[in-house]
Amino acid sequence: GDWKDLHRWTTRMSDRALELSPESKQFLERLVKDIPTQEGKVKAVYDYLNALRYSTIPVGAAAFRPQKIDRIIFQASGDCKDKATALAVFCRELGVPAWRVLLKRGGTVDPGFPAWQFNHMLVYIPKLDGFPDGLWLDPTDGATEFGDLPPGDDGSLGFVLKDNSFEFRKVALSGKVKNSVLTEIELDKAPGGKELLAKIVTKRTGFAQYLFLQEQKKSFPEQRRYAEEKELARILPGF
């Protein structure tokens, strides 16, 4: 009927996943132990969930209902709604307000047409030290570093699932992430002067780092070694 109906239905479909068992609370305590700042704790939770294997079963109710957090931890995997729900619940347990957000990757949402128009879920944190304009987090694919967003998220219109209400909000980067590739080369003669030693360090941020991590995930060790040798030959021909 309207967006209120969709909000109620979505909340009802995920009510079981919004609960933290004693075991999950203990797991969270171990995960953030000795981390002094709220930002550091949120990052630790994000990094853990982001590293979990992506797995989904888009059949029947499972296409809409997130798994319980205990199960996500036990099987070390989950899809976007599983990871986003766990991240939001863990953040709230840490005293950090966090809301789940539905959006349509690769398309646009029409606020004037109340219906299921979504294919993805991420998290919005309205207030966190160091992020005055809020922080959007998407722990889905394992290749997006804390504070950044994967392609397809930035600029999308999100349906923010608050506790008893909703709002549409545009997804945006935190503003701290730059897209850059910096390569530092250090050359030195080996003892005796017969060989030249090289040390190369490449630092990637933003989209460049995202593409690099995505490629690493898909590559076997020999493929990664070949790619490294190819890059070395490009930077220092003959080495």
Side-chain angles (χ1 to χ4, degrees):
D2 56 27
W3 289 114
K4 291 182 180 179
D5 288 341
L6 183 68
H7 177 270
R8 284 192 293 266
W9 177 80
T10 304
T11 303
R12 188 171 66 251
M13 289 291 286
S14 57
D15 56 358
R16 293 182 300 174
L18 298 176
E19 300 175 359
L20 265 184
S21 68
E23 291 77 15
S24 293
K25 290 182 180 181
Q26 292 173 4
F27 177 84
L28 176 61
E29 290 174 0
R30 294 194 299 269
L31 190 62
V32 301
K33 184 180 179 182
D34 300 327
I35 299 178
T37 66
Q38 289 291 68
E39 179 185 345
K41 292 177 181 179
V42 172
K43 182 179 183 300
V45 173
Y46 172 85
D47 289 343
Y48 164 75
L49 293 169
N50 195 34
L52 297 183
R53 180 174 57 90
Y54 179 86
S55 176
T56 185
I57 307 175
V59 178
F64 305 96
R65 177 173 287 140
Q67 300 183 77
K68 290 184 177 181
I69 295 176
D70 286 351
R71 183 167 180 80
I72 297 171
I73 296 172
F74 175 76
Q75 64 188 15
S77 67
D79 62 11
C80 64
K81 63 183 181 297
D82 298 329
K83 292 186 175 189
T85 299
L87 176 58
V89 173
F90 277 149
C91 284
R92 292 185 179 194
E93 183 68 18
L94 294 171
V96 178
W99 298 321
R100 297 175 303 155
V101 183
L102 291 167
L103 57 82
K104 186 175 183 179
R105 263 188 176 181
T108 57
V109 173
D110 181 3
F113 185 66
W116 183 264
Q117 305 179 41
F118 314 103
N119 60 11
H120 192 55
M121 181 181 279
L122 69 162
V123 170
Y124 175 59
I125 298 176
K127 186 177 181 181
L128 184 67
D129 291 343
F131 299 90
D133 298 323
L135 176 62
W136 299 85
L137 294 173
D138 188 341
T140 301
D141 58 21
T144 306
E145 297 194 322
F146 181 78
D148 200 357
L149 287 172
D153 286 7
D154 187 29
S156 299
L157 187 62
F159 183 64
V160 183
L161 299 168
K162 297 184 177 181
D163 293 335
N164 299 306
S165 62
F166 66 89
E167 70 173 325
F168 285 98
R169 182 182 285 268
K170 190 174 182 179
V171 180
L173 286 169
S174 65
K176 291 187 174 183
V177 179
K178 296 181 180 180
N179 298 311
S180 66
V181 179
L182 175 64
T183 299
E184 299 176 347
I185 304 173
E186 183 179 314
L187 299 176
D188 195 10
K189 287 185 178 181
K194 294 183 179 181
E195 293 180 327
L196 191 61
L197 304 178
K199 178 182 178 181
I200 303 174
V201 178
T202 298
K203 301 175 182 178
R204 303 172 179 85
T205 61
F207 189 56
Q209 177 70 348
Y210 176 85
L211 292 177
F212 174 75
L213 293 176
Q214 283 285 51
E215 194 63 33
Q216 292 283 302
K217 284 168 51 183
K218 297 184 292 184
S219 302
F220 294 106
E222 286 301 315
Q223 290 175 313
R224 288 195 287 269
R225 179 179 175 182
Y226 172 77
E228 291 164 1
E229 291 176 348
K230 186 177 180 181
E231 180 70 1
L232 175 61
R234 183 188 67 82
I235 296 174
L236 292 176
F239 270 66

